[in-house]
Structure formats: C-alpha cells, structure tokens
Amino acid sequence: MIVEIGHYALTLALALALVQAIVPLWGTLRGDEGLASVGQSCALGQFVAIALSFGALVQAHLASDFSVLNVAENSHSAVPTIYKISGVWGNHEGSMLLWVLILAFFGALVAGLGRGLPLILRANVLAVQGFISAAFLAFILLTSNPFARLSPAPFEGRDLNPVLQDLGLAIHPPLLYLGYVGFSIVFSFAAAALIEGRIDAAWARFVRPFALVAWCFLTLGIAMGSYWAYYTLGWGGFWFWDPVENASLMPWLAGTAFVHSVAVMEKRDALKVWTIFLAILAFSFSLLGTFLVRSGVLTSVHAFASDPSRGVFILAILALFIGGALALFAWRAPMLKRGGLFAPISREGALVLNNLLLTTTCAGVLIGTLYPLALEQLTGEKITVGAPFFNMTCGVLLLMLCVVVPFGQSLAWKRGDLLGVAQRLSVAAAIGLCIFIALFATLRGGPVLAPIAAGLAIYIILGSLSEIAARVWRRGASLGVLFSRARGLPLSAWGSALAHIGVGVTLLGLAATAFGAETIASMRVGEPQNVGPYQVTFQSVASRPGPNYSEVVAKADIRSGGTIVASVEPAKRFFSARQTSTTQAGIATLWFGQLYISIGDQTGDGAVAARLYWKPLVTFIWLGACLMAFGGALSLADRRLRIGAPAPARSGSPAIAAR
Amino acid sequence: MLWVAFALMTGAAILCALWPLSRRRSGPEGQARAIAFHKAQLAEIDRDVERGQLPPSEAAGARAEAARRLIAASDVAKTTAGAGDGRASLRARAAVVIVFVAIPLVTFGLYLKLGSPNLPDQPILARAGAAGNGDLGAALAKIEAHLIADPNDGRGFKVIAPVYMRLGRFDDAAKAFGEALRLLGEDAPMRADYGEALTAAAGGIVTAQARAAFEQALTDRGDLPKARYYIGLAAEQDGDKPKATAIYQKLLADGPAGAPWLANVRERLAGLEAAPAAPGGEAAAIAALDPAAQQSAIRGMVERLAERLAQNGDDAQGWLRLIRAYGVLHETDKARDALVQARKAMTGNETAGRDLDALAREFGLGS
C-alpha cells in the first residue's frame, strides 16, 4: 500500500510538472497573471508528491520490503540501518529519485520564497524548471522505475555494493546533487530571461544566492567524493582525472566562472550575455556528467547497472535542453540590452580574465574527457588521457589563474590602480617567491610544478589576507577601532577572502603531495618499517568478524623517534553476500599530514603486503575546499543578498562602490 | 482503500494546480504589487540607515537605484493597464478544463501501465511473522557470525543449511551441507539433501556432481526416497524415459501412504505419460534460466549423456545427440573423440554409420 502510494505520487508529480511547464508559459506569453501564477502552487504540490514518493521508498528500504525490485537488488535485511537509508540513493533508480526530489525542492524554494521576484520572471523560471522536472520524471518512470515490483518476493536481498557501505555514501551524493541541481535553477533563470528577452542587475541579484548555494554544495560534494575515494580505494590517491570526476569538475569550473561573472553583472550591469551563456554551460555540464555516468559509456562504481535505453533517453534530454537553450540563446541574446563598457584594469577586467582562464580550463577537461571516448567509438582504439595531460593543460592554466586571484580581489571596480595593488601585493609575492626558491633548492630534480604551486599558494593566502588588512588597517587606529572596522566590512568581502584563502590552502595541500613518501613493503609482525619521518610496526595481524563481513585487521603502531604517536588498524574486509572485498585504510592524522596504511593479501610465510604513505599537509586539500564553501556561505549571508536592497549601480566614486 | 487514497491524492493535485486560478487578479494589480515591493525596499533602506547598518553615502546610491526601478515598474503598469479582461476569464476556463482532464489522464494512464496496485507491501518482519519463526534474519545472522568464528562446527552448518534452502540461497545451502558432511562424517539423508541443494542451485537440473551425491546416498541406504526420486529425474532429463518411469513407479509402490512427496512423483509420472515425445518441460526450464546458468545446465546434461554412453554405448540416437551438442558448444576436440568412440560402438550398424558421417560433415569434423 505504501509502496504503491509512493509510485502513484511519482506519476502525479509528472502530471503536475507538465502543468507547471506549460500553463505558466502560456500565461506569460499572453500576459495573463492568473495562468502565470499556476506554476507556484504546482511547484509546491510537485515537491510534496515527490517527497511522499521518496519517503515511501525509504520506508520500503527500512522495512526490507523485498517485493520492491530496487530493495531486493540493493539491500539486505542484515545491513545496519544507516546503510539501509543511504542505500536508497546508493543505486541508479534511487539516486535519480533523490535528484528529482532536490530539483523539486529548489523549485519549491523559488515558488515559496521568491516573493521579491517579478511575477513574469518567476513564472518563466518555474516553467523551465517544470520542463526539466518532467523530463527527468519521465526518465525515471519509463526506464528506471524504483517502484518496480517482484512477485513472488525473494526472502533476502542481494546486499548493497560493499564499497558503498560507508558513511561517505550518506553524504557525498546528496551534497553533489544539491550542487548539480542548484545549477538547474540558474539555468532556468537564464532560460527565463531569454524567453522574456529582459535581463538586468536585479536578475543577477536574484540568481546569485541560488548560484552560490549550488556552488558551495558542489564544492563540498566534490571534496567529500575525493576524500571518500582517498580513504576507501586503498592506494592513497584523491583525484584520478577519471571521467566521472571530470564530469563533476566541469560544472564546478563553469559554476565558479558564473559566480564571478554574475558579480560583475550585479555591480556593473555588464557581461550579461556571457553570464547567461555560463549559466547554460554550467547546467549543460551537469547533464553531460549524468549522461557519461549513467549511460554505460563509462564503467565505474558510479555507473551502477547500465542500460542502453537509459543512455538514449538521457542523450535525448541532453539534446533537448542544451540544444533548446543554445537555440534560444542564439535567437534572443542579440536582442538583450548590452551593459556598459569597462576599463581592462579594474576588478571587472580581472574577473573577465578569471572567466577566460576558467572556461579554457573547462574546455581542456572536456577535451581530455571526451577525446578518448570519441576515439574508442570511432576507431576502437583505447587510450587513456591521464594526469600528465591534465597537469600540463589545466594545471598550468589554473596556476596562471592563481597569479591573478589576489589582483582581482584587490582592484577596485570600474577603474583600478594596478601599480598600487601591485605594491600592496609585493610582500605576499616576495614571500611566495622565497618559498618557491627554498623548496626548489632543497628538492632538486623533483617535479617543477610542486614548488611553483607551493609558492603560489602562499602568495594567494597572504594576498587575500592583505586585502582584508588593507581595508581594516588605518594608521594610528586603536585595536577597538580596527575590530569595529573589521566587523563593518561586508560579509561578502570576508567571504571572497576566505574562499580565495581556501584556494591557496588546497593548492598548498596539492603541492605538498610531491614531498611525501611512499613504501610498498612486505610487513612482518614486530619488524619496523620507515616511511617519511615515521616508523611503522605491525603489532598483530588477525581475523575478526563484522556484522555482514569478515576482516583481516593489522594493528599498527606509528613511532616518531621511538615514542608512539598514533595507532591505526588497517583492514581488508570480505563480504560473503557479494563475494567481494574492500580495503579499509588505516589513517592517522598527524598535524595536517596523514600517515596512510593499507594492507593487501597475506603471503604464505606470515607476512602481509602493505602500502605505507606519508602525506604531509594532505588534509589541506579538503580543508581548503571547506574554507571555499564557508566563504561562499558567508557571501550568501551578506545583507544585500538577504533583503535584496539594491546597491549603487553607477553612482558614487569607484572607491565607494568597492566597499 | 488504495484507490480511495489515489482519488484523494489526484483531487488534491488538481486543487493545488487550480488554486491560483480561483483567485481573481488582473494585470495592473500584479504590477501594483511590484511597485509596492520597490516602495518597501526604499523604506527598508531608510530603516537600515537609521540603525546604522548602511553608510549614508551608500544609501544614496541604493535609493537612486530602487527609485529607478520603481519608475520602470510604474511604466510597465501603465502600458499593461488596458489589457482585456474577457479573454483572461476564457483562458482561465480553458486552463481549468485542461488541468481537470490532463492530470488524471497522465497519472492514471501511466500508473495503470507501470503500477502493481494488487501487490501488498511485504516488509520482512511481517513475512517472518507469517512464517512463524520470529526474527529470521537476526537468528540467521547470529548463526553466520558464529560459524565465521568457529568454522569447524559441523552442527551449526547442519542447522543453517535447510534455512538457506528455505530462503532460496541454494549455493549457500549446498556449501553448508558440504561442510556439515565433511565435519560430521557421511550421512545418507544429508548427502541426498546436498544433492538436492546442488540441483536447486543449477536451476532444477541434476548436475553430474549432484547425481554422484545421490548415488553415494543410495549406496549407503538403497531405499532413500529423495535420492531415488532425483535419480529418476536425472534419467528423465537424460531422455531415458523408461528408466525414469520405472523409478517413479517403484517409488509410488514403496512409498508410505500419505507421504507428502507422493503427489510430486505422481505429477512427474503423469507428465511423462502425457507427453511422450516432448522434452518440453526441461527445455522450458532451461530457457527460463539466465544465460550463465543455462550454459552450466546444458553442460551438466551433456556430461551426463557422455557418462551414460561411456558405460553403455549401444544407443545410436544418444551418440548423435552428444556429438551435435559438442558441435554446438564449439568443443571440436571432444566432438572428434565422441565421433571415434561412436564409430567403434556402432560398427555393423549401417544407418547409424551414415548418420554419423552426415553429422561429421555438418560440423566439419573430418572423416
């Protein structure tokens, strides 16, 4: 009964999405407000229906109702409750349902909270959102129905993929989806602006909070996914330039560019067409990622069961939305009123440079991801485009971007003083340079990029700090005055500074990977092994049963100069229901670095194969991402975004506008 | 009950979609709302200045911007003020009709095609309760955990194996029976159970391994009905109907009245007598399996056929079937071997010789 109600609610949601897509659009085209406002209640109703449906699926998983195919294939009555819940989206059908749930949630947000939005804009946004929703609901119902039933039902489920039986599954997909789907709202706003043929600074103000929310969640989602891969795959890597990862990086790059260009649009009423284009691009990359991951083009842990009919369906959705949006763009963009021109040496000029570099990087990732796939389809030849390609294209571009970041932050709007800014940044640059030279001199023969990246990282962090310091500092002011000045700074200034510091911190963590140590050893109990500045000794290696697996656990002590600093328990787990094993790395966080131990098979003579890594500052990679997201959140909490009071567009001196 | 819920949900959705249409509103009013919004913004700026949250220099710019938008909004209001009202109500009525028709049509149409309204929920607790054995999953997990800790407990395996059978985990059941036999020593009924699990795991086909288990059980206890039944089934699957019929009939004659398995034997016997030529039952059973299981089931049958012919080679049709099977499975070497053996066994039988030659040409096995 509950399952069927959930199923029915899903079909009802599709019907509501269709009404939401068509009726408001008809209303805005005819200038009829009654029809145009239908979208709001439909969006709310659709969210309720999908939430009901999702709740029913969660209930089926919790109750281990194996008459539901999705539960029988991806759950097991013995799985701990937390994995019963996260197992709902640990499979293709359930994750698509989560996707539309979040889509409907954002739609409901626009409908419920967008009271300040002009009516026509809101109606069009909801209509486009309705189209996206309808397309994905049809996809779910027709090709990947989570409510397909089994009769007779099996007595036991086939268990969740052991790699996914991890807390990471509970967090990573919802975060990532909040990001991906958040960009769908940005896309809807862009399409709505094109339909209406009107776009202004107010549009930028309304869309910016959604873009920031999406960007923050996408940042956290990618970081979480990377950390999960790091601790669960057992070889210490955190980013593999795998197509699935690139699929999430591309929307992030486009989204980052968008967040910056929309700021220009809000402040200076410029870059309108480009901003619209970026909005389309960001969501297109989200869709492309969905297609790559779910169509069976790639084999990966994310692909789940692939099915050609799904691939064709997603390809159709992809063509419809990207093609439709670009056609609308080609038709309408020339009619949009252009914004003012601006000087190259200004904050907006720096942001344009930022946009160029980010989109070029994005293009690099796109080529590196699609080229091997295209080549394989055309010639059958399998090639791998790996880290060297991406490091030399995207890596170098992003390092160039890093040089510009503190400048963009410090330059004033409209007309900037490059010399003054350069003077202010010279201290940061000098310290960064010293770090580079010191590292380069001590680590001769190592990778060149690493010392450069480390120097740049320090330069960005100090540069961002100096920007804040320059705004707060007044000669001779007391500490109290400085404190109140710091409090008086707009939150968005703190936000952007923090986010850029986050970039520097992540970069530092990435650069530090080159200075780590790695040993692959055959470890015997009691025999110490050196890795980096530490000694690792296995105290014991023994078998141990778990709730639905059995594992071999090594107890390892980590010593520094004879004293034990940490103990870890790397393990290898075997899941009998699926006949597969997983590695549980033993990770000890020592300051910001980590000692990482993963064990392999036991050799006959009592030894166990183990990989030992010392990774200095590795946690900076993810801490930096958290800082970026936190910066975004601060910027989101800024007053002008909360109450929508317009800031001066062209009045006042540039110095005031910058504040 | 379910349909009442569906009807209520559909009604709620329609109401939800139509609700904004029921509120009368016209163009200028909506624009008035926009104007009011901008006015509220202006007031907000003033309040912020009073509270000291906005520096006056910035407030001037903000006020100018809000005022500019206010003027723009009033302009729009003036231009749209004259829009006709009659058309709007016509449109609203059309929209009502469309929504009233489209929502139930889309929803019911899709649901009737995809849904299973007659299938009740089957949460595992309710099912375990219905089976009368409490929390089966928990008990099973406990025994499994115990067996991982103490893998030499034969009695544990003996207890858990039939449970696996009931749950349909035939591979696990076969493994558990095997372990129990290894640890507890030979035991004819359990050996037969082991064979039954192997058969069930192969999708109902008596594999060579399963058959060996039944034969061993019969050497210890010649009257074991389960083993005899499966040997009969194996004969039936080999296409040796007379033997199968004989075994089934003997089972019926020997069986104690009221034994639960008698009905099953009678059914098989009836099936044999009713369809003398059609091996349909088995072919259908194989066709229903997934490809991997199909392969192993077919190979099991071929193995058994080869075994039987090695013991008793006087069966021309059997040889032809065996060689054809090897040919189809692309096992050319085995097919050649079988051809040589068949020629040896069929010396003097001219029709069989001709058939063998024809078959050898068909599969390109040389002369």
Side-chain angles (χ1 to χ4, degrees):
Chain A
M1 167 104 170
I2 295 174
V3 175
E4 290 305 313
I5 285 183
H7 195 172
Y8 189 78
L10 201 60
T11 55
L12 206 55
L14 174 61
L16 280 172
L18 287 172
V19 173
Q20 183 190 332
I22 294 161
V23 175
L25 207 58
W26 184 26
T28 57
L29 290 179
R30 290 268 169 276
D32 186 325
E33 280 200 18
L35 292 183
S37 55
V38 165
Q40 293 162 41
S41 59
C42 279
L44 293 171
Q46 192 197 331
F47 174 62
V48 172
I50 296 179
L52 199 65
S53 179
F54 191 77
L57 191 61
V58 172
Q59 165 63 25
H61 271 261
L62 277 178
S64 292
D65 186 341
F66 297 124
S67 69
V68 180
L69 180 64
N70 183 262
V71 182
E73 283 187 342
N74 302 294
S75 191
H76 190 284
S77 59
V79 166
T81 305
I82 172 80
Y83 300 145
K84 276 185 188 165
I85 297 174
S86 66
V88 173
W89 55 81
N91 59 78
H92 170 74
E93 292 83 4
S95 71
M96 290 316 293
L97 192 60
L98 178 67
W99 170 285
V100 289
L101 176 71
I102 294 176
L103 193 69
F105 171 70
F106 274 100
L109 269 190
V110 174
L113 300 179
R115 299 208 26 204
L117 279 172
L119 196 95
I120 303 290
L121 180 63
R122 174 151 58 152
N124 282 336
V125 167
L126 287 174
V128 178
Q129 197 74 6
F131 274 112
I132 300 174
S133 209
F136 275 96
L137 284 169
F139 171 70
I140 291 176
L141 283 167
L142 298 179
T143 74
S144 4
N145 196 332
F147 293 105
R149 302 294 293 270
L150 267 181
S151 185
F155 274 95
E156 198 43 272
R158 273 202 244 155
D159 205 358
L160 181 64
N161 182 350
V163 174
L164 301 180
Q165 292 190 22
D166 188 286
L167 206 60
L169 179 65
I171 308 168
H172 164 63
L175 284 180
L176 206 61
Y177 281 9
L178 278 166
Y180 277 157
V181 177
F183 281 120
S184 80
I185 285 283
V186 176
F187 171 87
S188 299
F189 265 94
L194 288 173
I195 290 171
E196 202 185 343
R198 233 190 77 167
I199 181 169
D200 51 20
W203 180 92
R205 186 151 306 138
F206 289 124
V207 80
R208 191 155 169 246
F210 287 106
L212 270 175
V213 167
W215 182 84
C216 290
F217 280 118
L218 193 55
T219 308
L220 288 177
I222 293 173
M224 182 64 219
S226 145
Y227 190 64
W228 186 12
Y230 167 76
Y231 73 70
T232 211
L233 294 185
W235 41 295
F238 47 84
W239 192 266
F240 308 98
W241 293 109
D242 173 273
V244 173
E245 291 166 332
N246 295 346
S248 70
L249 184 65
M250 287 186 284
W252 187 83
L253 288 168
T256 310
F258 179 84
V259 168
H260 287 95
S261 84
V262 85
V264 175
M265 187 165 153
E266 189 186 351
K267 289 280 188 190
R268 299 278 290 118
D269 211 18
L271 285 188
K272 288 178 179 176
V273 175
W274 173 246
T275 304
I276 292 271
F277 180 70
L278 277 180
I280 294 172
L281 208 60
F283 185 59
S284 299
F285 281 132
S286 299
L287 285 180
L288 182 70
T290 315
F291 169 69
L292 284 180
V293 173
R294 291 302 158 75
S295 61
V297 176
L298 303 170
T299 35
S300 121
V301 68
H302 298 81
F304 305 123
S306 62
D307 173 347
S309 70
R310 287 177 190 162
V312 173
F313 205 118
I314 301 184
L315 197 61
I317 294 179
L318 198 75
L320 183 71
F321 285 105
I322 302 181
L326 289 180
L328 201 60
F329 180 76
W331 172 46
R332 283 291 207 177
M335 302 181 200
L336 292 177
K337 212 169 75 183
R338 306 212 167 240
L341 293 170
F342 49 78
I345 307 295
S346 61
R347 185 181 284 196
E348 50 269 41
L351 289 179
V352 168
L353 190 57
N354 140 309
N355 268 231
L356 279 177
L357 286 168
L358 279 172
T359 40
T360 317
T361 311
C362 198
V365 178
L366 183 68
I367 291 167
T369 309
L370 292 188
Y371 177 70
L373 294 175
L375 195 72
E376 194 187 331
Q377 293 299 318
L378 292 176
T379 66
E381 192 185 343
K382 265 188 188 283
I383 61 160
T384 313
V385 174
F389 167 81
F390 290 105
N391 285 345
M392 285 322 289
T393 52
C394 308
V396 170
L397 281 169
L398 286 178
L399 288 183
M400 277 160 70
L401 180 62
C402 289
V403 178
V404 197
V405 164
F407 277 93
Q409 214 187 328
S410 305
L411 279 170
W413 292 102
K414 248 184 151 178
R415 214 176 307 108
D417 176 8
L418 189 60
L419 208 64
V421 170
Q423 268 173 354
R424 259 197 282 158
L425 290 175
S426 59
V427 180
I431 296 176
L433 200 65
C434 290
I435 300 253
F436 162 66
I437 292 170
L439 285 175
F440 194 66
T442 48
L443 297 150
R444 289 173 65 173
V448 184
L449 277 180
I452 296 180
L456 271 175
I458 299 293
Y459 156 73
I460 292 188
I461 295 172
L462 293 178
S464 299
L465 284 175
S466 82
E467 154 68 8
I468 289 287
R471 280 183 171 202
V472 171
W473 178 256
R474 280 294 170 273
R475 190 185 294 272
S478 73
L479 214 61
V481 171
L482 289 185
F483 184 69
S484 74
R485 282 182 69 86
R487 274 193 47 185
L489 275 187
L491 280 178
S492 63
W494 282 108
S496 70
L498 260 184
H500 290 145
I501 290 173
V503 172
V505 170
T506 295
L507 189 61
L508 197 59
L510 289 173
T513 53
F515 311 126
E518 176 183 350
T519 314
I520 297 174
S522 181
M523 300 281 289
R524 277 168 211 284
V525 171
E527 280 180 20
Q529 171 73 42
N530 285 327
V531 52
Y534 297 98
Q535 291 89 44
V536 176
T537 318
F538 279 14
Q539 292 302 326
S540 67
V541 177
S543 296
R544 189 166 70 182
N548 52 346
Y549 55 84
S550 60
E551 62 182 353
V552 175
V553 189
K555 286 190 164 47
D557 285 342
I558 299 163
R559 285 187 175 78
S560 169
T563 51
I564 294 182
V565 290
S567 294
V568 290
E569 295 190 353
K572 199 172 171 70
R573 288 183 181 167
F574 183 75
F575 290 76
S576 55
R578 287 227 180 183
Q579 298 284 312
T580 44
S581 55
T582 62
T583 354
Q584 293 296 114
I587 299 177
T589 307
L590 303 161
W591 291 101
F592 291 106
Q594 286 187 333
L595 202 101
Y596 183 110
I597 305 173
S598 89
I599 58 170
D601 296 322
Q602 277 170 293
T603 49
D605 50 350
V608 56
R611 292 163 176 274
L612 312 167
Y613 303 89
W614 161 240
K615 293 173 171 293
L617 299 188
V618 72
T619 52
F620 273 15
I621 296 173
W622 303 291
L623 288 177
C626 292
L627 269 183
M628 286 184 226
F630 184 62
L634 270 188
S635 191
L636 188 67
D638 193 31
R639 197 187 113 273
R640 74 197 154 115
L641 288 177
R642 258 186 299 124
I643 62 172
R650 286 160 202 235
S651 61
S653 72
I656 288 172
R659 295 291 134 89
Chain B
M1 184 58 202
L2 188 66
W3 291 101
V4 175
F6 287 175
L8 286 177
M9 284 160 71
T10 318
I14 292 175
L15 274 185
C16 169
L18 294 182
W19 175 60
L21 286 177
S22 68
R23 292 181 310 165
R24 298 254 331 140
R25 197 168 42 189
S26 58
E29 234 176 280
Q31 290 301 338
R33 230 160 48 103
I35 294 167
F37 167 71
H38 288 302
K39 280 186 177 154
Q41 260 189 338
L42 279 172
E44 205 169 50
I45 294 168
D46 289 341
R47 272 203 306 281
D48 275 359
V49 175
E50 271 171 39
R51 274 195 243 118
Q53 285 178 338
L54 197 66
S57 55
E58 216 173 302
R63 265 195 214 102
E65 173 77 16
R68 195 173 64 78
R69 281 192 211 150
L70 176 59
I71 293 164
S74 332
D75 284 350
V76 175
K78 268 178 217 139
T79 52
T80 54
D85 220 20
R87 286 253 183 104
S89 72
L90 202 67
R91 271 197 297 270
R93 252 178 262 152
V96 169
V97 172
I98 290 172
V99 166
F100 247 108
V101 175
I103 288 190
L105 205 67
V106 169
T107 315
F108 278 107
L110 260 178
Y111 181 76
L112 286 180
K113 188 170 170 293
L114 302 171
S116 320
N118 297 324
L119 221 54
D121 286 355
Q122 299 178 31
I124 197 153
L125 275 181
R127 297 170 76 194
N133 43 17
D135 196 343
L136 189 71
L140 197 63
K142 219 165 137 189
I143 304 177
E144 278 174 343
H146 166 69
L147 286 176
I148 289 169
D150 180 10
N152 287 322
D153 180 7
R155 275 198 28 230
F157 283 111
K158 192 178 172 181
V159 168
I160 205 169
V163 181
Y164 281 140
M165 269 316 262
R166 274 229 309 282
L167 290 176
R169 291 165 66 177
F170 303 123
D171 281 325
D172 289 331
K175 258 182 238 151
F177 276 126
E179 284 298 292
L181 284 168
R182 183 176 67 78
L183 295 162
L184 298 177
E186 195 51 47
D187 173 66
M190 199 151 60
R191 183 61 71 178
D193 287 339
Y194 173 61
E196 188 177 33
L198 287 172
T199 307
I205 305 294
V206 185
T207 59
Q209 203 188 353
R211 187 193 200 137
F214 294 126
E215 274 162 359
Q216 193 180 342
L218 285 178
T219 54
D220 290 354
R221 261 181 65 184
D223 62 332
L224 201 65
K226 186 179 272 176
R228 282 163 66 194
Y229 167 74
Y230 275 101
I231 292 290
L233 187 63
E236 191 185 332
Q237 288 172 355
D238 284 348
D240 191 346
K241 279 178 208 112
K243 187 179 169 193
T245 314
I247 291 176
Y248 290 152
Q249 275 165 349
K250 186 122 196 318
L251 260 175
L252 282 182
D254 294 355
W261 43 266
L262 282 177
N264 201 2
V265 178
R266 264 191 218 106
E267 208 173 285
R268 293 234 63 102
L269 200 56
L272 271 181
E273 281 158 2
E282 193 188 341
I286 291 181
L289 296 172
D290 66 87
Q294 252 179 28
Q295 275 291 320
S296 73
I298 290 171
R299 275 179 202 283
M301 283 170 61
V302 174
E303 260 172 58
R304 284 202 312 275
L305 183 59
E307 245 171 69
R308 188 160 62 81
L309 289 171
Q311 284 160 15
N312 174 18
D314 188 19
D315 179 357
Q317 288 308 311
W319 282 114
L320 289 172
R321 262 170 55 204
L322 183 66
I323 296 167
R324 182 174 290 281
Y326 280 139
V328 169
L329 293 170
H330 297 294
E331 294 191 0
T332 324
D333 292 341
K334 284 194 181 166
R336 276 210 192 90
D337 284 351
L339 187 63
V340 171
Q341 285 172 30
R343 287 220 171 97
K344 218 180 280 167
M346 290 291 123
T347 35
N349 185 338
E350 276 184 26
T351 38
R354 267 200 304 280
D355 288 344
L356 284 173
D357 288 344
L359 197 62
R361 270 198 301 281
E362 186 184 330
F363 284 102
L365 297 172
S367 49

